[in-house]
Amino acid sequence: MTTSQTQGANLITLRDVRSNPKVRTYIEGANTLLAAIGYTEHGHRHAGIVSSIARYIMDTMGADPRRTELASIAAYLHDIGNVMSRTMHPVSGAGMAFHILDEMGMDASEVALIIGAIANHEERDGLPFNEITASLIIADKSDVHYSRVQNPIPETYDIHDRVNHAVQRSRVNVEVDKKLISLELEIDTDSASVMEYFEIFLDRMVMCRQSADTLGYVFRLTANGVTLG
């Protein structure tokens, strides 16, 4: 039985989650905290883009529509734990998501899929154990873009600011016939080098490869038209 065939479930949608006042408040609070400690944007923009990419990956692969919806919800909520602390935010975020979704009346089997994905989305301790988690991981690690930089003073940019500021365009592309998921970047090398990108994103790209493998795909990264892996 697929998730979409769950009997008696209250089928919560991404729209329901996005309009939940608690979700909106917690995501705004998470971004406020991370901005204060010098992190890139982790607010509604990031949540929305990651959710859209996760849905695109699942849709393009022909996944079950309900599991696709759950992936988009997990992606939207994945960083909510940052409202407490950056440390262990996947686990705290999974706990917060449990309470919110349970309160909204979501079926426990669906809540389990979402909180499992949220708890496993970071490279240090995460595991892409199913397609929902894998699509979330790839979507999250692919959101690198100059618009994420929150520091208004370029002279004080750290390497994360410089690399994000250098990425003028990022795009995830799924080619079903080739079983290929690619992240295509356009980088302004006057702002940061490709090597600097790898310096801070190598672990994330390894996790993307693992996630693509879970999906039965190969992951490829290209920067300025050059295939890097």
Side-chain angles (χ1 to χ4, degrees), residues 46-78:
H46 177 61
I49 287 177
V50 175
S51 181
S52 295
I53 296 173
R55 182 186 294 278
Y56 162 70
I57 293 170
M58 294 283 283
D59 268 339
T60 307
M61 294 190 309
D64 172 72
R66 185 58 191 166
R67 290 178 79 88
T68 297
E69 189 72 14
L70 297 181
S72 71
I73 293 171
Y76 197 80
L77 295 175
H78 77 282

Side-chain angles (χ1 to χ4, degrees), residues 14-41:
L14 176 62
R15 179 176 293 182
D16 297 324
V17 171
R18 291 185 69 139
S19 63
N20 185 298
K22 290 182 180 179
V23 170
R24 299 200 62 80
T25 299
Y26 295 152
I27 290 178
E28 289 164 7
N31 191 48
T32 298
L33 188 151
L34 292 186
I37 60 177
Y39 275 76
T40 51
E41 184 266 337

Side-chain angles (χ1 to χ4, degrees), residues 56-204:
Y56 162 70
I57 293 170
M58 294 283 283
D59 268 339
T60 307
M61 294 190 309
D64 172 72
R66 185 58 191 166
R67 290 178 79 88
T68 297
E69 189 72 14
L70 297 181
S72 71
I73 293 171
Y76 197 80
L77 295 175
H78 77 282
D79 271 338
I80 200 169
N82 284 303
V83 73
M84 297 184 189
S85 171
R86 182 66 180 172
T87 304
M88 294 297 292
H89 76 276
V91 175
S92 57
M96 293 174 66
F98 163 77
H99 286 290
I100 292 169
L101 297 172
D102 185 62
E103 186 179 73
M104 293 176 73
M106 179 177 278
D107 185 83
S109 64
E110 296 192 341
V111 174
L113 290 169
I114 290 173
I115 63 177
I118 293 172
N120 281 277
H121 79 269
E122 280 291 275
E123 53 271 17
R124 178 172 295 179
D125 302 306
L127 177 69
F129 64 96
N130 62 20
E131 81 278 20
I132 292 174
T133 311
S135 63
L136 162 56
I137 289 168
I138 294 172
D140 180 37
K141 310 314 172 191
S142 298
D143 185 23
V144 189
H145 194 255
Y146 69 87
S147 61
R148 294 196 69 188
V149 178
Q150 300 192 102
N151 183 349
I153 307 173
E155 291 78 14
T156 64
Y157 281 178
D158 64 10
I159 189 171
H160 291 83
D161 290 328
R162 289 200 307 275
V163 168
N164 275 277
H165 187 263
V167 178
Q168 302 299 297
R169 177 178 174 271
S170 60
R171 179 173 180 263
V172 174
N173 189 40
V174 178
E175 297 179 70
V176 177
D177 56 334
K178 297 179 180 179
K179 291 294 181 180
L180 176 67
I181 299 175
S182 56
L183 172 58
E184 302 165 2
L185 304 175
E186 291 181 9
I187 298 176
D188 175 6
T189 54
D190 289 334
S191 297
S193 68
V194 174
M195 289 304 297
E196 283 184 304
Y197 176 89
F198 270 102
E199 182 179 339
I200 63 172
F201 284 106
L202 180 58
D203 288 345
R204 303 180 196 185

